[in-house]
Amino acid sequence: MKTKKVAIVGASGYSGEVLVQLLLSHPHAELVAVTSRQNAGQTLAQVFPKFASHPKSKSIRFAEPNAEVLAKQADVVFLALPHGVAAEYAVPLINAGCVVIDLSADFRLKSADIYKEFYAHDHPAPELLKKSVYGLPEIYRDQIKKALLVTSPGCYPTSILLPTIPLLKAGLIKPASIIADSLSGVSGAGRKAELDYLFVECNESVRPYGVPKHRHLSEIEEQLSLAAKTDVKIQFTPHLIPVNRGILTTLYLEPAEKLTDDKIAAVYKKSYGDEPFVRLLEGKSLPDTKNVVGTNVLELAWRLDPRTGRLVVMSAEDNLVKGASGQAVQSMNIICGFPETAGLV
Amino acid sequence: MKTKKVAIVGASGYSGEVLVQLLLSHPHAELVAVTSRQNAGQTLAQVFPKFASHPKSKSIRFAEPNAEVLAKQADVVFLALPHGVAAEYAVPLINAGCVVIDLSADFRLKSADIYKEFYAHDHPAPELLKKSVYGLPEIYRDQIKKALLVTSPGCYPTSILLPTIPLLKAGLIKPASIIADSLSGVSGAGRKAELDYLFVECNESVRPYGVPKHRHLSEIEEQLSLAAKTDVKIQFTPHLIPVNRGILTTLYLEPAEKLTDDKIAAVYKKSYGDEPFVRLLEGKSLPDTKNVVGTNVLELAWRLDPRTGRLVVMSAEDNLVKGASGQAVQSMNIICGFPETAGLV
Amino acid sequence: MKTKKVAIVGASGYSGEVLVQLLLSHPHAELVAVTSRQNAGQTLAQVFPKFASHPKSKSIRFAEPNAEVLAKQADVVFLALPHGVAAEYAVPLINAGCVVIDLSADFRLKSADIYKEFYAHDHPAPELLKKSVYGLPEIYRDQIKKALLVTSPGCYPTSILLPTIPLLKAGLIKPASIIADSLSGVSGAGRKAELDYLFVECNESVRPYGVPKHRHLSEIEEQLSLAAKTDVKIQFTPHLIPVNRGILTTLYLEPAEKLTDDKIAAVYKKSYGDEPFVRLLEGKSLPDTKNVVGTNVLELAWRLDPRTGRLVVMSAEDNLVKGASGQAVQSMNIICGFPETAGLV
Amino acid sequence: MKTKKVAIVGASGYSGEVLVQLLLSHPHAELVAVTSRQNAGQTLAQVFPKFASHPKSKSIRFAEPNAEVLAKQADVVFLALPHGVAAEYAVPLINAGCVVIDLSADFRLKSADIYKEFYAHDHPAPELLKKSVYGLPEIYRDQIKKALLVTSPGCYPTSILLPTIPLLKAGLIKPASIIADSLSGVSGAGRKAELDYLFVECNESVRPYGVPKHRHLSEIEEQLSLAAKTDVKIQFTPHLIPVNRGILTTLYLEPAEKLTDDKIAAVYKKSYGDEPFVRLLEGKSLPDTKNVVGTNVLELAWRLDPRTGRLVVMSAEDNLVKGASGQAVQSMNIICGFPETAGLV
């Protein structure tokens, strides 16, 4: 299988770090360049001591990001940048023939209007919104195969969309009833020197935030509306908990019809029975982030509550792997024709 | 003010430990006896090194629990026992004229039938169920004043009842709509040598459990039904998170009428505006367990979501203080005529 | 007992926060002013939500620090400032007749030369170095009683000096043999927005730092030299561990003579047997930070190793209480003639 | 390269779990059997949900341990058993021609007398002590190649021996001067349902234990004595810190001669410059467990202290990988002629 050359723009955050890790050990990808304004000139080994035993960690040096140079070096370019700056690199890289996989929120919405509503400025490259493919392989595998620009989903959205889309498509739940209560590890806030994310402020603490209108809602609701074929608004409460990695989402749903465990099981089996990265739990098992951290797997379980009539669905994922960099690599595998599980566990 | 003599039966668990701490420094209570089968013969200082600097820690020794002896020693007896064994001590102590404050679930239900449904055995002293007063001072202060047996609420129930009862009483929310998503520190599981609660099994992990029919539901629903004057069933999902202490509950509620922030604020202000241990957060503040751990305070905030029409209410408390031992001391203060905040912060 | 009016300059860091907590509940002190450049204008309740239930939290507002104003408001002023700026306030406050208790390192050294060696700039008020009293009550109680300027010891120094000074004074150990291996919680680094102290960088991590010449060495060695009556240099390695609060120090010492447990016990009993805030552990007990966090107590245990001939001494303290603010309040109690344990546990 | 069939006896503890993980993904080993008394009959997926996405997790079932059966199934057998029971399996397996790699302490000592001194009972198979090879590849690679029984080193010993053996062999340090201060994550205590290792007892706590005569001393001192060619006794203090995985050891050493950084660097470079799993840190870098957790790498740095004349050496490792299962797989790779880094990162 032909090796592809890959580069990462903005490789110094937590998602970037996991991308470096996954790509350094990928059997069919060769990491050829990493960029970072703040670390330019330093080797991978200097910035990430944990990779210092890898043979390439001393030869790969962070460069200033430059789309023209990257286009010559790489077949596939991952953008792991803060929101709002991805367009600057995506446009020239795509024009130069690179596959671009963007981990930011910049191209996740189809609608430039909703982008403006949630991000409070005009979209910098609205023409690309139509071209981008939402990089949730279990839902959009066929489109990803042919994509030039993959917009990799956010961590919260992944944990909410995978459990709900099959139910909505099958008409099993009421679209207006969706409540998503999510708990995220602190790496979800990024590697930012802010008081709120100091060890002492997060340890022995749990707190909701961004209530009631978190930015990720726009992306979640657009995808849910597509699945439900109707406009969907959901209730979403993110909480910060003192773990490094992991998201646990509990969903409260109202059945659209009389549901049984068999009916739900059938829908999930059909959707995910053969998926390597969705694990349907059986028996009494419930999701636990410690069973998925470090992997690209999303765990999923559900309970029909006979007392209330509601359906409770729970998911667990590693926010930096299935919720970010692992899923991005999964998309790369699909586009490049590699086995979808290559370089992922 | 006349000092009361107090004793603790079953003082070696986490709730018992906090009770010891609160009573050792209480201005109007004198701790005269502690009992524990497993620690009988040892001093407080030996069992709890952290109290070893307290002058009484070397003179107070754990005794075998004996109701007859305790009745002679103490005016007020706290029972911090596992579920199912409190009746054995409560009956003779009450008969001997002691005030009994029970921290177990044994007397929290009015209905012996519901007790049997949730605890799978007959109630050992059903006649006491009628006499016991539910020890939630903000709701039952007047009854607590005259109680001989106070049944102190559970940690999850406290975090759910205080936010919802005023709304139900005022008719602002639909009783059938209540969804409570709760996150608890590991001390909530008690000091039990079980694999599930080992450091390595809890750290870097978050998981739901007891879905969908947790035992605390019986107590929560009985109280909510009383407040709503109709039969209430709720959705409740507890989760275990890696902190020692603290419960964060997020409630999803559907308005029964057109709600405004002013209307909700008015109800909460009327109910809790003068309460020393309920803190209504203002402005952008949201509850955070780190702001209440070590105190008897419950933090409370709400958000009306104009997008979905739902009301989201969030509370934070220390599961061992307001959720257990602090609230029990608050009841003692009321019964004994002490200032309600004595010995509590 | 006459209440004293107290103020805190620089009350927004972790030590300042604990000072606020201790002084708000102190039976003989009245907190009258807090200052902070960054929080000026805000109330205590706004800056520290955890104190919002205290009646004074809404009436006390942070002010810009101003020595002239403070001198009129307060009898005792605590300085909880970063190193290097305490002199600016200490000089005018002392001249105006206030008692000043400084928590920074600015006045801890007697020698302006050593200050310059370790802090790389001239001391701003060398004349005050002679007047300041080192605020370690167990060693300098008599001098503290009459002090106008108390320089409260650092957290690491306290954990090292209390275990070693009695041994040095009694001539039991070789002064050149002292090795101190210390483990500190992250609050020791202060409330600073730096990447190194983010939750994700500290959790699931343990690391040494500042090897081999940490600034606190100057203060430790000056005090040890005074006790040993000879110039002492020690080996000191601080480590950062993922807890909020607590320092555990393990000391490796070589006996100067044939030692026995009885001889060591006699020295420690004589030094600390009646001290309320030093707990000599007995039997098999070893120090554990969880037994002292939240208290002003230092736990101390030792083991003579018959295999190597060395003496191993271990101490545990709360870095923010006995290692900072609690010890400062202890000094205030001594100066003001309050019971030494007032407001402390 | 010919695949070897491997089995694990006692695969339900933390070391066993990591062994399962490493062997499931090993390119040249095929995991054919796992045993566990308590989990017999269950699949790997049931016991370890985190491996449930691996294709073999549902076909491999835990069996009762039976040496005769194992000898027919496997070429290499790992023993991950509690101390004292490994001999029962090792003897028949070796006799049947299997390679045995034992992770317990049972065969780590050459001297049956020292075993009895530290373990308080006679060694069950003293004749095997002579045949076993100490599985520290960086020191005993040639002997491991031909070994039938590898006794894989303990976690603390690995963290102490790798830094000190080269210095002792080169005569750079005084053998009697070695002080090892070690900090270990809680997984080092094993998956045991004991109160001491509950989350609430370990979180926000740090404590020394096993002072001054920990069992691992016997193994450490035997190896150091071999390196120094003289009888060595060391000072060793283990501490428990609230992390899941990782050991940080700080060593205090006295030079045997005038040392320079160059001299030390030369010795370490010669010993470890080409070792894939020892990382000599450069510049200002110091070891940090978060840089090695999940890998088979030991990080090592040193500082000569000009003020005291001592040499301080620091190491970091993952106690379950380089300190246990990873190192055992490294030995397997050597014996079987696989690349030494196969299946390890």
Side-chain angles (χ1 to χ4, degrees), chain D residues 9 21 37 55 67 84 97 127 135-136 159 175 177 188 200 210 239 255 257 260 264 269 285 309-310 312 327:
Chain D
V9 179
Q21 182 178 25
R37 286 237 157 74
E127 72 287 357
L136 200 56
S159 82
S177 75
V200 177
H239 300 75
E257 55 176 280
T260 61
I264 301 164
K269 281 257 166 72
S285 299
R310 286 195 198 85
V312 180
Q327 186 148 259

Side-chain angles (χ1 to χ4, degrees), chain A residues 181 221 235 252 307-308, chain B residues 181 201 221 235 252 307-308:
Chain A
D181 190 287
E221 292 179 347
Q235 196 72 46
Y252 300 96
R307 302 173 74 258
T308 64
Chain B
D181 191 286
E201 303 301 321
E221 292 178 347
Q235 195 73 44
Y252 301 96
R307 302 173 75 257
T308 65

Side-chain angles (χ1 to χ4, degrees), chain C residues 79-99:
Chain C
L79 307 180
L81 294 162
H83 301 327
V85 294
E88 181 188 338
Y89 299 96
V91 176
L93 285 165
I94 291 169
N95 289 343
C98 289
V99 167

